[in-house]
Amino acid sequence: MNKEITLAAVVAELRDGMTIGIGGWGPRRKPMALIREILRSGLRDLTLVAYGGPEVGMLCAAGKVGKLVYGFVSLDVIPIEPYFRKAREAGAVDVSELDEGLLLLGLRAAGHRLPFVATRIGLGSAVMTNNPDFRTVRSPYGDGEELLAMPAIRLDAALIHVSRADRAGNTLTFGPDPYFDDLFARAAEKVFVTTEELVDTIASDNPEDMKANLFEPYLVSGVVEAPLGAHPTSCHYGYGWDLDHLKAYAASAGEEGGWRAYFDRHLTGDEARYVASVGGEARIRSLPIPTF
Amino acid sequence: MTTAKDFTLAELIITAAAEAWRGDGELLATGIGTLPRLAAGLARLTFSPGLRLTDGEAYLVAEPVPLGPRGGASPRYCGWMPYARVFDSVWSGRRHAMVTPVQVDRWGQANISALGPDFRRPRVQMLGLRGFPGNSVSHKNSMFLPNHDRRSFVEGEVDVVASVGFKTNNWPAGAGPDFVRIGIVVTNLCVLDFGGPDHAAQVLSLHPGVAFDEVQAATGFALLRAPGLQQTPAPTEEQLAIIRRLDPHNLRAGVIKGNPPGAGSAGGEGAALADAEPGRRP
């Protein structure tokens, strides 16, 4: 079984209007090589579901987004994603702004093939007023508590960046936090994985290594070899986020024609051109993992 | 314990904010932002040894991690706390966070999401709701606001209710703010809470040199004087030593504009003393 495909082949599987979930968290381990391929494509009117980072801002800047489903969109050290902010303040995108945990619960419900999960989260807050289609349910037990019926968030596709993968769709994801990539994978009709390292097999004699396997290979539709594919976000233990690049990107949002200039400088060629445009492989690999 | 004479307002705030966690027993303590994080570490190392802290990434640590570059020194890890487990801890109730909202209203509701009357096109997009709805309905939350003014303590309702509060008509029938627990709110002027009659806001202590009327004028809703209203206690030398150890790069100096002293050199001290007795440590 060989699931290896190219970035372009993944994008060819996507359609206008699809709901696409993106793994990672803020400026951490985002499938940016695939995002860049989408930015170069004609895709539009996407619904994005994410613990959002620069991928959300870039897709907004490029006019690819019809709707956003998110708990936050942040570059962490740059707290508010600049192009997300711009799109919101222009009223350019529809949004479903959620509690981070509701996003988790909605994805989990989809993965479990349930219509909703009951939760207290969101009640009494702007989640209810800003998502007028959300309904409550009453506990059928003695407590009779009224709870939010958080609807399942079903994805047409999930895009996830991993550390190591083989062509059968087995994956390993290193780093301190798996985030919610497993839930994105289960909530999606199709899962496309980019990997820092493509190997013949991830098999190991040490079962402890397999704790880094977050989701099952039979969920994975395609695997793309994409070293440095999370740049400018971080990817343990290969490289930290590129703060200089993120600062320049953020600054471009305040400049006339800033997105066009960013696009022309970094996105007009392939990934090799991209890596060269941001200073080359050695520079990326020397970016330190941040401490807090 | 020796009361310090020379300390900054930021250090006074850290000491006051640490009190949020007094008596909490064993739980996950999260201070979001420089001063709340230092406050949680201070509480952990003094009167609340049961607090469990993280490294700000994904691990529980044996000792509070100093802020900023660590020069190669590694924290000692003693547990794993990725976001999935943070949510489980949040929803179990075994957590007390101190958060830094942009707006707070008379009902204890708080906003970090966006500003402006039209959510579909906000005047200012901020962070989004993040985990505030879930946090505020699941566990106790305290707050820190570095600029106490009428833009942060708003006259009406916050523009976006991120953190829930005691405004009962925001809740559906059969649900209600029974689970809402708001701890203390520490600002550059005072410490307050929502522990007055019907969850009314009340000032617990005034920072040195600050008068009650000054706080009221900077607040968009009515404040009560809490019984036993006092002056915010100065840090002790022992507390200052811990704060310096937890913040070796003095990041706390950049939090309050101008990094003013904490002993109240500004005018109005006489008026302040009319409102508040110099504090005694509980």
Side-chain angles (χ1 to χ4, degrees):
Chain A
M1 187 176 299
N2 183 359
K3 297 181 180 179
E4 185 182 5
I5 56 175
T6 62
L7 294 173
V10 174
V11 173
E13 297 262 342
L14 307 178
R15 297 286 175 270
D16 293 350
M18 272 190 171
T19 297
I20 297 179
I22 302 166
W25 176 283
R28 296 168 171 84
R29 204 165 40 68
K30 289 287 178 177
M32 296 306 295
L34 263 177
I35 299 302
R36 287 188 279 274
E37 195 67 18
I38 294 173
L39 291 167
R40 296 179 196 111
S41 78
L43 278 174
R44 51 188 291 277
D45 199 29
L46 302 173
T47 293
L48 300 184
V49 180
Y51 293 97
E55 83 286 9
V56 169
M58 289 183 188
L59 290 167
C60 284
K64 303 288 188 196
V65 181
K67 184 176 179 183
L68 290 175
V69 182
Y70 65 95
F72 64 85
V73 184
S74 175
L75 303 179
D76 202 314
V77 281
I78 302 168
I80 301 166
E81 214 295 339
Y83 284 100
F84 160 71
R85 175 174 179 169
K86 217 170 166 174
R88 284 283 286 135
E89 292 174 7
V93 289
D94 290 337
V95 298
S96 173
E97 186 171 292
L98 302 173
D99 174 276
E100 295 165 2
L102 284 181
L103 188 47
L104 180 170
L105 293 175
L107 291 170
R108 184 178 284 162
H112 293 178
R113 300 184 296 166
L114 292 169
F116 67 88
V117 288
T119 176
R120 204 169 282 138
I121 300 159
L123 297 180
S125 81
V127 165
M128 302 306 289
T129 45
N130 290 333
N131 293 280
D133 51 331
F134 281 13
R135 299 287 176 264
T136 59
V137 289
R138 182 150 297 213
S139 165
Y141 300 105
D143 55 88
E145 187 177 351
E146 196 75 14
L147 298 162
L148 169 60
M150 176 61 205
I153 301 172
R154 297 184 189 85
L155 307 174
D156 295 308
L159 312 179
I160 294 167
H161 189 68
V162 304
S163 306
R164 186 178 298 158
D166 62 29
R167 291 175 181 81
N170 297 301
T171 59
L172 297 176
T173 301
F174 305 135
D177 197 322
Y179 313 121
F180 299 97
D181 289 4
D182 56 333
L183 301 186
F184 281 97
R186 280 180 238 293
E189 285 290 318
K190 289 190 171 182
V191 178
F192 298 104
V193 164
T194 54
T195 182
E196 282 295 314
E197 192 185 358
L198 184 68
V199 295
D200 288 337
T201 172
I202 68 157
S204 163
D205 294 333
N206 184 358
E208 284 292 316
D209 291 347
M210 295 303 117
K211 287 184 177 174
N213 172 239
L214 303 181
F215 46 86
E216 298 71 53
Y218 48 77
L219 299 174
V220 176
S221 293
V223 178
V224 184
E225 185 174 22
L228 313 174
H231 183 275
T233 69
S234 61
C235 188
H236 286 79
Y237 291 90
Y239 44 94
W241 59 51
D242 190 340
L243 188 54
D244 289 342
H245 184 89
L246 291 173
K247 280 181 177 166
Y249 161 73
S252 77
E255 295 158 8
E256 187 67 30
W259 171 250
R260 179 46 41 191
Y262 180 90
F263 189 98
D264 289 347
R265 182 166 176 200
H266 298 297
L267 300 175
T268 50
D270 60 8
E271 279 296 287
R273 281 275 300 278
Y274 172 78
V275 169
S277 82
V278 297
E281 176 176 351
R283 180 181 167 273
I284 294 176
R285 294 205 185 280
S286 72
L287 292 166
I289 302 280
T291 55
F292 299 94
Chain B
M1 292 197 297
T2 319
T3 299
K5 294 218 165 28
D6 188 19
F7 54 90
T8 66
L9 179 57
E11 289 160 348
L12 179 80
I13 287 170
I14 293 164
T15 310
E19 293 294 327
W21 286 281
R22 189 181 284 276
D24 270 358
E26 290 189 67
L27 47 65
L28 180 64
T30 310
I32 299 172
T34 299
L35 301 191
R37 182 167 158 190
L38 290 169
L42 178 61
R44 159 72 178 77
L45 292 176
T46 51
F47 49 76
S48 286
L51 300 180
R52 293 293 170 260
L53 308 176
T54 76
D55 66 342
E57 179 86 39
Y59 297 99
L60 292 171
V61 287
E63 296 284 322
V65 178
L67 271 59
R70 299 197 275 265
S74 176
R76 290 183 61 236
Y77 303 107
C78 60
W80 192 36
M81 188 58 67
Y83 283 113
R85 267 171 76 171
V86 172
F87 286 124
D88 285 334
S89 303
V90 165
W91 300 338
S92 77
R94 294 292 293 272
R95 185 195 196 213
H96 181 174
M98 180 174 282
V99 297
T100 55
V102 174
Q103 290 181 321
V104 176
D105 66 24
R106 69 188 64 194
W107 299 280
Q109 302 178 129
N111 178 21
I112 50 162
S113 164
L115 296 176
D118 182 2
F119 184 74
R120 290 165 302 176
R121 186 177 180 175
R123 184 166 52 76
V124 180
Q125 174 66 45
M126 301 188 296
L127 289 174
L129 291 169
R130 293 229 63 154
F132 272 37
N135 292 352
S136 56
V137 80
S138 301
H139 62 65
K140 193 172 180 182
N141 289 276
S142 292
M143 304 182 198
F144 164 62
L145 290 94
N147 296 302
H148 192 137
D149 60 23
R150 296 173 77 96
R151 286 192 308 169
S152 49
F153 288 89
V154 296
E155 189 176 334
E157 188 169 16
V158 291
D159 292 347
V160 180
V161 180
S163 201
V164 300
F166 302 109
K167 193 180 181 199
T168 47
N169 57 354
N170 277 349
W171 295 79
D178 302 358
F179 294 93
V180 178
R181 287 175 295 151
I182 299 176
I184 57 173
V185 180
V186 184
T187 79
N188 57 322
L189 299 181
C190 70
V191 180
L192 58 93
D193 72 5
F194 289 86
D198 296 325
H199 304 293
Q202 59 178 4
V203 178
L204 303 175
S205 73
L206 296 159
H207 298 343
V210 177
F212 178 87
D213 290 347
E214 194 182 327
V215 177
Q216 180 61 78
T219 305
F221 49 88
L223 296 171
L224 301 174
R225 292 172 166 83
L229 172 66
Q230 59 172 352
Q231 191 175 88
T232 307
T236 65
E237 292 293 353
E238 292 81 359
Q239 288 174 314
L240 282 185
I242 292 171
I243 291 169
R244 288 187 200 110
R245 182 154 64 78
L246 293 178
D247 183 23
H249 306 287
N250 199 20
L251 300 180
R252 64 193 180 281
V255 176
I256 308 283
K257 194 177 178 191
N259 194 30
S265 58
E269 191 160 4
L273 291 174
D275 289 310
E277 293 300 311
R280 287 192 314 272
R281 209 154 279 280

